[in-house]
Amino acid sequence: MSLRVEYGNNSQIQTALNGVNSQPQTTVTPFKEVLEKVVYSPKVQENENKIEKNVPKVEKTHTTKPTSDTVYVGKDGTMTTTMDDIFKRASKKYGVSYQYLVAVAKAESDFNPKCVSSAGAKGVMQLMPYEVRDLGVDDVYDPEQNIMASAKLLAAHLKKFDGDKTLAAAAYNAGSGAVKKYGGVPPYRETQNYVKKIAAYMEQGVKAPTKKIRVTPNKLSGKIVKGEAPEHKEVTEEKKVDVPQKQDVQASAVKATEKDLEEVRVVIGSGEDAVTMTYGAYLKYLELGDLGVG
């Protein structure tokens, strides 16, 4: 397919074509050249460059989650929570798996905050009086303080026995001295049954109670902050900057009057297939797609 531009005598036509060389009617002008010299004016190119640079920007604002060591309490220093949530926070703070902590609590007291053994162990995970003192527990019957202290104690046993949960559990029950003395789980019936019970509870996937309780956190819980806890999720706010849409370059770039568009003739094709139309009509024709002529 070929394209040629026919010129009249009107000097305005020459201006409209912005420098396209005048040729006889039979001369074929490459389509790309027509676009470069007629359609794309410097002003239009400048506008295009501005539009390309003015890409919509997205501004993101992040609200980060509070750390696991931050506990929010009311003016009276208490907070409403669940035992399940306490175990989860204790797990994160002291690096002991949730399932392990829950299994030990199940074996020790069956999650009873008021439980007291014949040996004097108290609370959910059955802390002895000397442990209560050494670990900094203010109220041994407070589930928050008791569980946090017990998690800290279990973490110490795990570290001492290279992460071995069986030996750490045995040490929690009979003392680390007895484990070291026998080089493993002491041959005490209670301790032998104890470690088996914990292994069984872990395999069963025992869960902690989810009933709401009122507790009084202390330094074992981490950083205490008075006031309402913020939303514990990351929020992203997006602000978009509107920019003008790209204009139809072919339609807006031609510097010619209506009269010019009517007087300039464009011939598309050759021979019997040749079609002659005004330049204005030709611009409309281009909207159908690239012709790729030349």
Side-chain angles (χ1 to χ4, degrees), residues 40-57:
Y40 288 94
S41 69
K43 186 64 176 176
V44 170
Q45 190 62 55
E46 180 184 341
N47 291 337
E48 274 199 308
N49 292 338
K50 288 181 179 180
I51 293 174
E52 291 293 339
K53 292 179 181 178
N54 196 14
V55 178
K57 297 181 179 179

Side-chain angles (χ1 to χ4, degrees), residues 138-157:
D138 300 320
D139 181 0
V140 71
Y141 297 113
D142 186 283
E144 171 82 15
Q145 297 181 31
N146 192 300
I147 294 170
M148 287 290 176
S150 299
K152 185 176 182 179
L153 180 59
L154 264 179
H157 287 316

Side-chain angles (χ1 to χ4, degrees), residues 146-278:
N146 192 300
I147 294 170
M148 287 290 176
S150 299
K152 185 176 182 179
L153 180 59
L154 264 179
H157 287 316
L158 284 166
K159 183 177 181 180
K160 191 175 296 182
F161 295 104
D162 299 320
D164 190 311
K165 290 184 173 64
T166 299
L167 295 183
Y172 192 87
N173 178 262
S176 59
V179 175
K180 288 182 178 180
K181 177 182 177 180
Y182 291 101
V185 179
Y188 311 146
R189 180 178 296 179
E190 178 187 341
T191 306
Q192 293 281 338
N193 292 333
Y194 180 79
V195 296
K196 291 177 182 178
K197 192 183 295 185
I198 289 176
Y201 287 147
M202 289 187 67
E203 187 175 350
Q204 294 169 19
V206 174
K207 302 292 184 182
T210 56
K211 181 181 179 181
K212 294 285 186 180
I213 55 176
R214 197 76 176 169
V215 298
T216 305
N218 71 351
K219 60 184 180 181
L220 288 162
S221 302
K223 182 181 179 181
I224 306 297
V225 176
K226 290 187 177 182
E228 293 280 336
E231 198 76 25
H232 285 202
K233 53 186 171 183
E234 189 172 280
V235 178
T236 301
E237 295 181 356
E238 296 186 356
K239 294 181 180 180
K240 293 185 178 180
V241 181
D242 293 330
V243 295
Q245 297 294 320
K246 268 194 174 184
Q247 298 178 346
D248 185 339
V249 177
Q250 293 176 341
S252 63
V254 179
K255 293 181 177 180
T257 65
E258 291 295 327
K259 182 179 179 182
D260 295 329
L261 296 178
E262 287 297 322
E263 292 184 357
V264 176
R265 295 289 186 273
V266 175
V267 180
I268 300 174
S270 60
E272 296 181 356
D273 297 327
V275 177
T276 301
M277 63 180 73
T278 66

